[in-house]
Amino acid sequence: MSIAGRLQKTPLSLYVHWPYCTFLCKFCAFSKARVPQQGIDHSRITRALIRELQTVLAPHKHDKQLRSIYFGGGTPSLSLPRHVGQIIEQANMLVPLATDAEITLESNPTLAETSKMREFRAAGVTRCSIGVQTLNDQTLARMGRLHTGADGLEAVDRAREVFPGKVTFDMIFGFSGQTLQQWENELNQALNHADKHLSVYQLTVEPGTPLFRDRRANRVLLPADDVQTQMYESAVEICRERGFRHYEVSSYSAQPDAESKHNKGY
């Protein structure tokens, strides 16, 4: 089969960006906006997202299937479950969802958001990604996060009740003041609560972020490069010892059917 023919048969993965956040993390460089003082106009942004879906997906209506949908942000768990359901339905009308399609929604580990998990599940979400990031409360506060390390672990446990076998969470290494031993302890503690998947990222200092300005002004001192290299290598080894295979740049899975279809689509 020609390259064009193979591309025509390749399933699609769809990313849906929800731009609003209750708080703005110091390290985040994604497109985002703080929740307006008057609140989010949910109907308006849902209509806008659906219009964009129609533009993006219409050319593939007759020759593709949707393998995955990923609701990222921003903080998509601030959206209304019924509107997430409408977006999924519209996407499916434009390009049919595969029978085993993966539909992931990112959530912050705050009670207000995790309390909506069952509603998101009923709306069509099949997988949940929790932004734990770190278990160190002081680091979380410095980075502008509103949850604690205990909140993060509790959110993972709660998500596993709603999405058994389909929960992932993010951990980040390389924060200011973090030692190799602290990172290893955090990762092992987090893995005690893991489902079958997690993602591990190195902290990146992106231009335009508050963290970038703090570092340029020498207000924060990150671990040395060789220490961060050790942190990465240690993460790979610890995850391997705990039964998680490093199958993608930042992703680890306990078994093949837990690998993220969306991550593998990039």
Side-chain angles (χ1 to χ4, degrees):
M1 182 182 293
S2 67
I3 293 176
R6 288 198 298 271
L7 287 174
Q8 187 176 38
K9 291 182 177 295
T10 301
L12 290 176
S13 290
L14 174 68
Y15 176 81
V16 180
H17 189 75
W18 176 269
Y20 294 115
C21 293
T22 305
F23 52 89
L24 302 182
C25 302
K26 287 189 175 183
F27 56 81
C28 180
F30 294 122
S31 176
K32 60 194 179 298
R34 194 183 297 274
V35 172
Q37 188 173 3
Q38 68 273 22
I40 299 170
D41 188 337
H42 289 276
S43 296
R44 182 180 181 187
I45 188 170
T46 301
R47 289 195 301 270
L49 288 170
I50 288 175
R51 283 198 301 271
E52 188 167 359
L53 284 182
Q54 292 167 343
T55 300
V56 171
L57 293 181
H60 306 290
K61 188 170 185 177
H62 300 294
D63 61 359
K64 295 283 189 178
Q65 272 193 327
L66 273 174
R67 168 175 49 194
S68 65
I69 301 176
Y70 193 99
F71 289 88
T75 312
S77 52
L78 292 175
S79 61
L80 300 180
R82 68 175 182 274
H83 287 166
V84 168
Q86 290 173 11
I87 292 169
I88 295 170
E89 181 181 356
Q90 286 293 319
N92 185 43
M93 289 175 61
L94 290 162
V95 176
L97 284 163
T99 55
D100 59 347
E102 172 190 278
I103 304 177
T104 305
L105 183 130
E106 291 182 345
S107 177
N108 277 327
T110 61
L111 180 61
E113 294 164 60
T114 57
S115 63
K116 298 191 290 184
M117 285 181 181
R118 294 191 187 279
E119 295 177 74
F120 282 122
R121 175 73 184 249
V125 173
T126 65
R127 184 173 179 268
C128 186
S129 177
I130 308 291
V132 176
Q133 318 301 17
T134 177
L135 302 183
N136 186 297
D137 292 347
Q138 291 181 333
T139 300
L140 287 166
R142 285 199 304 268
M143 290 297 107
R145 307 287 290 185
L146 299 184
H147 69 277
T148 65
D151 292 335
L153 297 179
E154 183 180 352
V156 172
D157 293 341
R158 190 180 301 118
R160 291 180 63 183
E161 296 175 2
V162 181
F163 300 95
K166 298 294 182 181
V167 175
T168 185
F169 61 89
D170 296 344
M171 293 292 290
I172 298 175
F173 66 85
F175 287 111
S176 176
Q178 189 179 47
T179 67
L180 175 61
Q181 185 63 58
Q182 288 171 340
W183 163 240
E184 291 175 343
N185 291 342
E186 278 191 49
L187 183 57
N188 271 307
Q189 186 179 356
L191 283 167
N192 291 337
H193 295 257
D195 193 358
K196 297 178 181 179
H197 191 282
L198 76 154
S199 294
V200 177
Y201 300 97
Q202 180 181 6
L203 180 68
T204 56
V205 183
E206 299 285 355
T209 62
L211 179 61
F212 179 85
R213 293 190 288 272
D214 285 347
R215 189 182 187 192
R216 186 169 57 181
N218 294 318
R219 289 190 290 265
V220 298
L221 181 64
L222 302 183
D225 289 347
D226 61 335
V227 174
Q228 295 199 46
T229 298
Q230 290 177 313
M231 289 176 169
Y232 168 78
E233 292 172 344
S234 180
V236 175
E237 180 63 19
I238 288 172
C239 287
R240 185 191 63 78
E241 291 175 351
R242 300 289 295 269
F244 287 81
R245 187 176 71 87
H246 189 196
Y247 74 93
E248 187 259 354
V249 177
S250 302
S251 301
Y252 298 78
S253 172
Q255 56 193 56
D257 64 0
E259 294 177 1
S260 171
K261 296 176 183 177
H262 193 85
N263 289 1
K264 292 168 71 176
Y266 285 108

